[in-house]
Amino acid sequence: MTNQLPYLSIDRHDVLSREDFIQNYLKPRRPVIMRSFAQNWPALEKWTYEYLKQGCGQVEVPLYSEAFANSDNDYLDSTQSMPFGAYLDLIQAGPTPLRMFLFNVFKYMPQLRDDFSYPDLGVPFLKNHPFLFVGGQDAYVDIHYDLDHSHVFLTQMTGTKRVILYGSEDSKKLYRHPLTVSCNVDFRDPDLERYPKLREIQGYECILEPGDTIFIPSRWWHFIEYSTAGISLTLRAMPETWPARLAGLASIIKLKVIDQYLGKMIGEKKWYQIKENWAHARARKA
Ligand SMILES: O=C(O)CCC(=O)C(=O)O
């Protein structure tokens, strides 16, 4: 039987002004879904599977499938590669756990940059780093938050996606692995006997449809499941203050470098088990 947690819904706006966004979502760090963010983007019509295939179907792309829950995989580890066009055919043919992560499609099709814009929402967008995410039905991304503490604006272009979010204050009760931005819980069917503290925190859930943009504030945990095959575009923005930006930089150094070093020293599997035990000890105290 599937374990269900009682999620709250996420605010949704057809139109959200800059001021409302800043006061009610950016400053208090609350997620929100907006239709107005991408309303004038030609990309929503133009970026069909066929169009992308014509533009860069031959490019060999890394693919991801393994969860990092229940394993010592890193969420940035790819498992295989294939030409982008063949991969698009694969996801249209039926469900597959294979997905693409952080794909810089603009390197191969720079003209795509003219098909979207950055709305003025009072945040410093990282304009050199728009990324495409593509996945087959049933693919999923285990819960994590972005290592560099950036804000995420994820726009669904085609297909639908289920998103589950938790605030950064819930890290310990999510059994976060120390020195990482991940944890071992599989949110498709969370094991509440093994992770009882999940009952004490409140998560949020939504289904994203084409044209929806979700704002995931800096350091918010996100789990993503492809309800159908689909494509989304993610724009990122730096946190507003310098201390928060420096904390993001420190996070990259601290988490990535130290975690990898200890994994090599101790052995990946043993280090993973140490982190899992440590996460349980911290959750019990939380
Ligand atoms: O939509 C996806 O496949 C993953 C998105 C994600 O995790 C992110 O933008 O940080």
Side-chain angles (χ1 to χ4, degrees):
M1 190 184 134
T2 305
N3 284 311
Q4 293 296 342
L5 286 163
Y7 298 112
L8 292 178
S9 58
I10 298 171
D11 287 0
R12 184 176 265 283
H13 295 275
D14 282 341
V15 178
L16 187 64
S17 70
R18 182 183 194 275
E19 290 64 37
D20 284 350
F21 173 74
I22 292 173
Q23 284 312 319
N24 298 319
Y25 300 102
L26 181 65
K27 281 194 181 156
R29 298 280 190 264
R30 284 178 58 210
V32 62
I33 300 165
M34 305 166 260
R35 297 286 300 177
S36 44
F37 190 93
Q39 68 188 352
N40 297 321
W41 288 8
L44 284 166
E45 298 286 319
K46 266 174 90 174
W47 294 7
T48 61
Y49 292 120
E50 208 41 52
Y51 180 61
L52 296 175
K53 200 170 149 181
Q54 275 166 19
C56 58
Q58 300 310 318
V59 174
E60 190 77 8
V61 292
L63 298 172
Y64 303 75
S65 66
E66 268 282 338
F68 51 88
N70 288 310
S71 78
D72 53 8
N73 290 329
D74 189 280
Y75 80 106
L76 298 172
D77 286 346
S78 71
T79 51
Q80 54 184 285
S81 68
M82 92 175 44
F84 185 45
Y87 175 67
L88 291 178
D89 290 342
L90 180 80
I91 64 172
Q92 288 175 89
T96 169
L98 292 175
R99 61 183 170 81
M100 289 169 55
F101 199 65
L102 295 169
F103 179 44
N104 184 3
V105 69
F106 308 97
K107 188 168 149 194
Y108 311 100
M109 294 178 74
Q111 69 274 26
L112 296 185
R113 284 184 182 267
D114 297 334
D115 297 336
F116 67 92
S117 51
Y118 294 84
D120 178 9
L121 288 177
V123 288
F125 280 107
L126 291 158
K127 294 196 175 168
N128 288 331
H129 301 286
F131 288 113
L132 211 62
F133 290 88
V134 188
Q137 180 184 333
D138 295 346
Y140 63 99
V141 188
D142 264 318
I143 195 158
H144 66 282
Y145 68 81
D146 286 35
L147 192 61
D148 60 355
H149 297 187
S150 52
H151 298 298
V152 174
F153 296 82
L154 185 156
T155 301
Q156 193 66 15
M157 313 299 285
T158 55
T160 57
K161 236 174 211 179
R162 176 177 178 232
V163 179
I164 296 174
L165 301 178
Y166 282 90
S168 56
E169 68 284 0
D170 294 331
S171 291
K172 285 191 178 148
K173 291 184 180 179
L174 284 167
Y175 299 79
R176 173 192 174 186
H177 276 196
L179 297 173
T180 74
V181 290
S182 54
C183 61
N184 198 41
V185 181
D186 182 349
F187 270 89
R188 291 171 307 163
D189 187 14
D191 184 342
L192 299 178
E193 277 179 26
R194 189 165 171 198
Y195 301 106
K197 292 280 178 176
L198 294 178
R199 293 187 195 278
E200 296 177 19
I201 51 180
Q202 183 61 62
Y204 298 79
E205 183 186 30
C206 69
I207 300 286
L208 292 183
E209 307 276 350
D212 287 344
T213 300
I214 185 166
F215 165 61
I216 305 176
S218 166
R219 296 177 62 229
W220 270 62
W221 292 85
H222 40 289
F223 165 83
I224 293 181
E225 190 173 28
Y226 287 73
S227 324
T228 70
I231 300 179
S232 33
L233 175 71
T234 289
L235 306 183
R236 280 159 210 281
M238 281 192 282
E240 307 81 277
T241 64
W242 275 104
R245 288 176 197 170
L246 289 175
L249 194 63
S251 152
I252 299 175
I253 296 166
K254 190 171 97 190
L255 305 190
K256 204 80 199 133
V257 178
I258 302 179
D259 182 45
Q260 283 189 355
Y261 176 75
L262 289 173
K264 285 207 176 68
M265 288 288 292
I266 299 172
E268 296 297 345
K269 290 233 166 332
K270 199 165 166 198
W271 173 228
Y272 190 82
Q273 200 49 54
I274 291 171
K275 287 186 287 190
E276 175 70 357
N277 296 343
W278 193 350
H280 278 266
R282 291 204 307 191
R284 276 193 296 275
K285 280 196 211 140

